Amino acid sequence: MTFTPSANSEVDSWKEVQLIYNSALKEIGTKLEILNDEFQHVHQYNPIEHIKSRLKTPESIVKKLRKNGHESTIENMVKFVNDIAGVRVICSFTSDIYRIAEMIANQNDLKVLSVKDYIKKAKSSGYRSYHMIVTVPVFLSDRIAETKVEIQIRTVAMDFWASLEHKINYKFEGNTPDFIKHELVKCSEMITELDNQMLSLNEQVIRYNSRLGKEV
């Protein structure tokens, strides 16, 4: 059953939306923590550095709806905005990204609606990350609300670039000069090279310890 807003006032409906999407964030967060703990138990290694979650503000939701030509209603919010609830998973190496994505996709009660791989094919801005839109069941007292959550998976280095790129572009209020954009793309390429070098180094460490008979 898909969540449908109650027939109460607009304020009550928004409160209900917040409740359900916050609950969805908790569900996803718990799943990721369990998967990380299991991976540590089996492989003696934690692929997840840390997890961030956020609920989109009403102002940001309205802006996105208007940008896409939709009225600002609770119904349109739930139907057309896929990233009201967002989880960002930060990991150490690029190989961890696909490992985590596979573990998420294998969860029986989650449904993957879409995937966008901005690592294999970065955005023109230089942005790199792995995005998944999933639905997670939120069990309420009288119904099950299948709720959409956007999951972004990226390395520490990718997250560092994305955070600073956002701050720089914010200062220009959407009118970032071309030379700044060009430099940001160059920095993104440097970040990618760093990620590749760190992954290679980690693989060398694993092979070295394997020869010594050590657990990694």
Side-chain angles (χ1 to χ4, degrees):
M1 174 180 175
T2 303
F3 163 63
T4 303
S6 63
N8 299 327
S9 69
E10 193 80 359
V11 173
D12 289 339
S13 295
W14 170 240
K15 286 181 179 178
E16 189 174 5
V17 169
Q18 285 182 305
L19 167 67
I20 291 178
Y21 279 101
N22 270 317
S23 299
L25 288 176
K26 291 177 183 177
E27 291 278 359
I28 295 291
T30 299
K31 282 182 175 294
L32 289 168
E33 288 175 5
I34 292 171
L35 289 171
N36 200 39
D37 290 344
E38 180 196 16
F39 205 89
Q40 169 66 30
H41 173 71
V42 175
H43 302 285
Q44 290 75 53
Y45 169 67
N46 292 88
I48 298 175
E49 291 282 341
H50 56 273
I51 301 167
K52 303 175 184 176
S53 62
R54 64 102 183 98
L55 200 63
K56 217 172 184 67
T57 64
E59 294 79 10
S60 182
I61 295 170
V62 168
K63 184 178 179 180
K64 191 163 191 175
L65 284 171
R66 288 176 177 170
K67 180 181 178 182
N68 293 317
H70 302 298
E71 285 186 60
S72 302
T73 65
I74 296 292
E75 183 180 0
N76 284 345
M77 177 192 305
V78 174
K79 184 177 180 180
F80 296 114
V81 184
N82 292 330
D83 61 344
I84 292 176
V87 176
R88 188 172 300 155
V89 184
I90 312 301
C91 48
S92 303
F93 306 104
T94 50
S95 57
D96 294 331
I97 294 172
Y98 297 100
R99 186 177 289 128
I100 292 166
E102 183 180 11
M103 290 192 294
I104 292 171
N106 287 337
Q107 295 289 295
N108 289 334
D109 57 344
L110 295 184
K111 181 180 179 182
V112 179
L113 300 181
S114 67
V115 168
K116 292 182 179 179
D117 191 341
Y118 296 118
I119 298 168
K120 291 180 179 177
K121 187 176 182 180
K123 289 187 177 183
S124 59
S125 64
Y127 175 85
R128 286 177 167 85
S129 188
Y130 190 93
H131 290 197
M132 304 174 75
I133 302 294
V134 304
T135 58
V136 57
V138 174
F139 293 86
L140 302 171
S141 61
D142 60 346
R143 67 193 187 280
I144 300 173
E146 294 288 345
T147 309
K148 288 182 287 188
V149 177
E150 182 188 58
I151 303 174
Q152 299 178 356
I153 315 170
R154 60 181 68 157
T155 64
V156 175
M158 291 175 194
D159 192 54
F160 164 76
W161 181 92
S163 177
L164 295 187
E165 186 263 356
H166 177 76
K167 289 180 179 178
I168 290 171
N169 283 327
Y170 183 80
K171 292 177 180 178
F172 289 103
E173 299 180 344
N175 296 306
T176 307
D178 287 342
F179 77 94
I180 296 291
K181 291 180 181 179
H182 178 69
E183 289 299 316
L184 285 169
V185 171
K186 285 174 60 178
C187 288
S188 173
E189 292 168 353
M190 293 166 62
I191 288 290
T192 300
E193 179 60 28
L194 176 61
D195 265 336
N196 291 338
Q197 289 180 358
M198 295 304 292
L199 177 60
S200 176
L201 180 59
N202 185 59
E203 290 171 344
Q204 291 177 53
V205 170
I206 291 173
R207 288 195 296 269
Y208 178 78
N209 283 334
S210 179
R211 288 197 299 269
L212 296 179
K214 292 182 180 181
E215 291 185 345
V216 181

